[in-house]
C-alpha cells in the first residue's frame, strides 16, 4: 500500500538540505519536495536527486541561499531553476510555473504561486507529487498516488496536448513505463505517442540519444522497446532498426538474467541493429554518441563469432567487456555458458618476452625483431596464454626459425 504521507528516509536528514529548506520559506506553503524524490521514496527506492519547488522567484531564491551561506548556481534561471550547492551535494530549486507558449521543443514560462497550476504543466501524474518537508504531507493534484499504487503511467490531462508541448515526452513516457509501469497500459497515452512521433524530428539528436540511452540502461526495457517498435516511435530517427530488434533485445535480456550478467549499453544498442558496421556507424554519427561508445560498438561488430576456444583471445585484443558482449549477443545457446566461464575471474595476461630478449638470442635490432615478436605473440595466444617458461621456449623456437630463414635468404 502506497503511503499518503512521505515516509522517513535517510536523504531527508542531510544537514545541507535542512539549511536549504530553512532559507526558502514562503507565504504559499513552500518549499516542498517534488517529483522523483517523492515518487521513489513512496516506492521504497533509493533517491539520488532531490528537487525542490518554491513560490519564490529565482533572484529571491539566489539572495536567500547566499544569505544563508549556500552557493547558488543559476543553472536554468530563465525557466526558474537555481541549483543550491552545499556539503558536496546539489539541490535543484524551481519556481512554480505556468506555460505561456510551447513549440514542441521548449516552453516559455511565467512564474506562478499556484501549486495546482505548477502541477498541471508536469508530464505524468506520478511525477506531480509534492511533499511538505516537516510534516511529510503529500499534495496530489491528479491522482498520482492512485496511479503509483497501480503502477500505471498516465499523462496529466490530455496526452496529445502534453506531447505537443514537448515531443521528448514520448521517449520519457516509454522510459518511465519501463521503470514504473508494470500495471495496466494506458492505451490512450500510447496512441498519443504514436500520433506525435513525427515531432521527434524537431528534437536535437543529443536529446533523443540521451533518452534512448536511459531507456536501454534500465533493468528490463523489452516491453517498452517492443511498444515503441509496434507504434512507429523509432521511424523518425532510427530507420536502421533491425526487423528482429524486439526479439533480439528480449533474448539478450533473458541471457543477462540467466547468467547474472550486468546490462551493457553497447550490447543493448547493437541488439536493436543489424550486424553491419557501416549502418551502425551511421547511426552512431547521427545520434552523436560518444567516441567511446562509438568505438565500442565497432569493436563488438568486427569481432569473430564467439566460441570457447577463441573468447580469451578476443578479450586479449579488446577487453573483457567487449568479449562478454559478443558472447551475449552472437554466441550460440550451447557455447554461451562455456564462453562466459572462460572469462569469469580471468585477468588478461601480458607477454613477458621483449625485443631485448630476442636480440640476446641473436636477432639484429630492426624490423625483424618486431615481426618476430608478433609471431611469438600469435603462437602464445594460439596455445592459450601459457606461462613464462613456455613463452621463453616459443621465443627460442621462433628466433631460431627467423635466423634460419634469414640465413637461407
Amino acid at each position: 500500500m502506497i503511503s499518503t504521507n512521505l515516509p522517513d528516509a535517510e536523504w531527508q536528514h542531510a544537514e545541507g538540505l535542512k539549511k536549504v529548506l530553512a532559507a526558502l520559506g514562503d507565504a504559499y506553503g513552500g518549499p516542498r519536495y517534488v517529483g522523483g524524490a517523492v515518487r521513489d521514496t513512496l516506492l521504497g527506492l533509493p533517491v539520488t536527486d532531490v528537487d525542490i519547488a518554491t513560490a519564490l522567484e529565482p533572484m529571491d531564491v539566489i539572495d536567500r541561499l547566499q544569505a544563508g551561506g549556500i552557493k547558488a548556481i543559476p543553472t536554468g534561471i530563465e525557466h526558474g531553476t537555481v541549483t543550491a550547492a552545499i556539503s558536496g551535494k546539489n539541490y535543484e530549486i524551481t519556481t512554480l510555473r505556468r506555460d505561456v507558449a510551447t513549440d514542441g521543443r521548449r516552453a516559455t514560462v511565467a512564474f506562478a504561486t499556484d501549486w495546482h497550476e505548477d502541477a498541471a504543466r508536469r508530464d505524468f501524474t506520478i511525477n506531480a507529487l509534492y511533499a511538505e518537508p516537516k510534516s511529510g504531507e503529500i499534495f496530489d493534484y491528479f491522482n498520482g498516488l492512485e496511479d503509483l499504487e497501480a503502477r500505471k503511467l498516465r499523462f496529466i490531462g490530455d496526452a496529445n496536448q502534453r506531447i505537443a508541448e514537448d515531443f521528448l515526452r514520448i521517449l520519457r513516457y516509454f522510459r518511465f513505463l519501463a521503470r514504473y509501469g508494470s500495471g495496466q497500459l494506458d492505451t490512450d497515452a500510447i496512441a498519443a505517442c504514436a500520433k506525435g512521433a513525427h515531432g521527434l524530428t524537431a528534437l536535437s539528436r543529443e536529446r533523443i540519444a540521451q533518452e534512448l540511452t536511459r531507456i536501454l540502461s534500465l533493468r528490463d526495457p523489452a516491453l517498452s522497446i517492443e511498444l515503441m517498435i509496434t507504434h512507429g516511435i523509432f521511424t523518425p530517427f532510427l530507420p536502421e532498426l533491425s526487423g528482429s530488434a524486439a526479439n533480439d533485445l528480449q533474448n539478450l535480456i533473458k541471457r543477462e538474467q540467466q547468467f547474472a550478467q550486468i546490462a551493457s549499453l553497447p550490447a543493448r544498442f547493437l541488439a536493436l541493429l543489424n550486424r553491419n558496421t557501416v549502418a551502425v556507424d551511421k547511426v552512431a554519427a547521427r545520434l552523436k554518441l560518444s567516441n567511446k561508445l562509438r568505438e565500442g560498438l565497432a569493436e563488438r561488430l568486427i569481432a569473430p563469432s564467439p566460441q570457447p576456444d577463441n573468447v580469451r583471445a578476443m578479450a586479449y585484443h579488446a577487453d573483457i567487456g567487449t568479449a562478454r558482449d559478443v558472447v551475449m549477443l552472437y554466441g550460440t545457446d550451447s557455447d554461451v555458458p562455456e564462453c562466459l566461464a572462460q572469462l569469469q575471474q580471468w585477468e588478461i595476461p601480458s607477454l613477458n618476452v621483449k625485443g631485448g630478449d630476442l636480440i640476446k638470442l641473436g636477432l639484429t635490432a630492426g624490423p625483424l625483431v618486431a615481426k618476430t615478436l608478433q609471431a611469438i605473440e600469435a603462437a602464445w595466444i594460439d596455445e592459450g596464454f601459457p606461462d613464462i617458461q613456455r613463452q621463453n621456449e616459443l621465443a627460442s623456437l621462433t628466433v631460431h626459425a627467423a635466423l634460419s630463414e634469414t640465413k637461407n635468404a
Side-chain angles (χ1 to χ4, degrees), residues 287-302:
L287 295 181
K288 298 184 179 180
L289 301 181
S290 69
N291 289 336
K292 181 179 179 181
L293 179 53
R294 191 170 178 177
E295 291 167 3
L297 296 176
E299 285 181 340
R300 287 156 176 79
L301 286 169
I302 63 175

Side-chain angles (χ1 to χ4, degrees), residues 16 21 55 68 79-80 122 132 210 221 230 232 331 377 390-391:
L21 295 171
H79 295 291
R122 295 180 179 271
E132 203 284 321
Q210 184 181 52
T230 301
E377 182 182 45
R390 180 55 181 163
Q391 291 178 36

Side-chain angles (χ1 to χ4, degrees), residues 75-106:
T75 44
I77 197 165
E78 69 278 8
H79 295 291
T81 301
V82 175
T83 298
I86 183 171
S87 302
K89 294 184 179 180
N90 292 338
Y91 300 97
E92 193 170 276
I93 303 159
T94 303
T95 302
L96 304 185
R97 298 169 293 181
R98 58 182 174 82
D99 287 335
V100 174
T102 60
D103 62 4
R105 291 179 297 173
R106 61 185 68 85

Side-chain angles (χ1 to χ4, degrees), residues 7-19:
D8 185 50
E10 183 179 355
W11 63 267
Q12 298 169 41
H13 298 282
E15 290 301 319
L17 175 59
K18 292 178 181 179
K19 291 181 180 179

Side-chain angles (χ1 to χ4, degrees), residues 37-183:
V38 179
R39 178 198 65 226
D40 288 350
T41 300
L42 288 167
L43 292 173
L45 299 174
V47 169
T48 54
D49 298 318
V50 178
D51 294 338
I52 298 169
T54 177
L56 300 174
E57 294 202 3
M59 292 310 300
D60 195 4
V61 170
I62 290 174
D63 290 341
R64 298 272 197 103
L65 292 175
Q66 291 178 340
I70 302 166
K71 183 178 180 180
I73 306 169
T75 44
I77 197 165
E78 69 278 8
H79 295 291
T81 301
V82 175
T83 298
I86 183 171
S87 302
K89 294 184 179 180
N90 292 338
Y91 300 97
E92 193 170 276
I93 303 159
T94 303
T95 302
L96 304 185
R97 298 169 293 181
R98 58 182 174 82
D99 287 335
V100 174
T102 60
D103 62 4
R105 291 179 297 173
R106 61 185 68 85
T108 301
V109 300
F111 301 132
T113 56
D114 187 309
W115 294 92
H116 186 282
E117 195 171 38
D118 184 73
R121 69 173 301 279
R122 295 180 179 271
D123 48 12
F124 312 120
T125 61
I126 65 172
N127 288 342
L129 297 170
Y130 302 75
E132 203 284 321
K134 290 183 179 179
S135 68
E137 180 183 0
I138 290 177
F139 298 86
D140 177 13
Y141 301 100
F142 296 99
N143 297 320
L145 287 173
E146 183 179 323
D147 290 336
L148 200 61
E149 179 76 39
R151 293 300 183 102
K152 182 175 183 178
L153 187 63
R154 191 166 57 86
F155 281 102
I156 292 173
D158 180 68
N160 291 290
Q161 181 181 342
R162 292 282 83 78
I163 289 170
E165 291 165 355
D166 184 354
F167 291 110
L168 192 68
R169 285 175 171 169
I170 295 172
L171 300 183
R172 282 175 56 83
Y173 179 85
F174 290 103
R175 171 161 65 92
F176 278 86
L177 183 66
R179 188 173 182 193
Y180 301 104
S182 59

